[in-house]
Amino acid sequence: MSGLRTVLSSAAMVAVLGVGIGMWCVVPPGDDRRRELVKNLPESDPMRLEDSRKRNALVMQALKEAGETNDNIARELRRPVK
């Protein structure tokens, strides 16, 4: 009997969780909230967008240089952990 109770309570919890996730996915944010989200995106500020592009270019350059070398740069960076 306790096994049946455990199965039923587990099924009920899964059902409640499924309904909660379903409601969260179905109900979209309002127009005001959507405008606020878009306004705070990094791409909406030209200065932050340019900084992101520069940072991405530097990262890609470092990856390209690391891919072209046969040296293991991780060994050079070993330091004792404090």
Side-chain angles (χ1 to χ4, degrees), residues 22-57:
M23 291 293 289
W24 183 70
C25 290
V26 169
V27 178
D31 286 338
D32 294 335
R33 176 76 176 137
R34 187 174 303 146
R35 281 190 215 125
E36 182 182 334
L37 288 172
V38 169
K39 183 175 73 172
N40 292 331
L41 286 176
E43 293 83 13
S44 64
D45 185 13
M47 294 290 289
R48 288 184 67 184
L49 181 61
E50 186 61 31
D51 288 342
S52 295
R53 286 184 178 154
K54 287 179 183 177
R55 186 173 43 252
N56 288 343

Side-chain angles (χ1 to χ4, degrees), residues 7-33:
V7 169
L8 288 176
S9 65
S10 297
M13 285 191 287
V14 169
V16 168
L17 183 64
V19 169
I21 291 173
M23 291 293 289
W24 183 70
C25 290
V26 169
V27 178
D31 286 338
D32 294 335
R33 176 76 176 137

Side-chain angles (χ1 to χ4, degrees), residues 55-69:
R55 186 173 43 252
N56 288 343
L58 289 173
V59 168
M60 293 306 288
Q61 180 183 359
L63 288 173
K64 182 180 176 186
E65 290 172 2
E68 292 173 348
T69 183

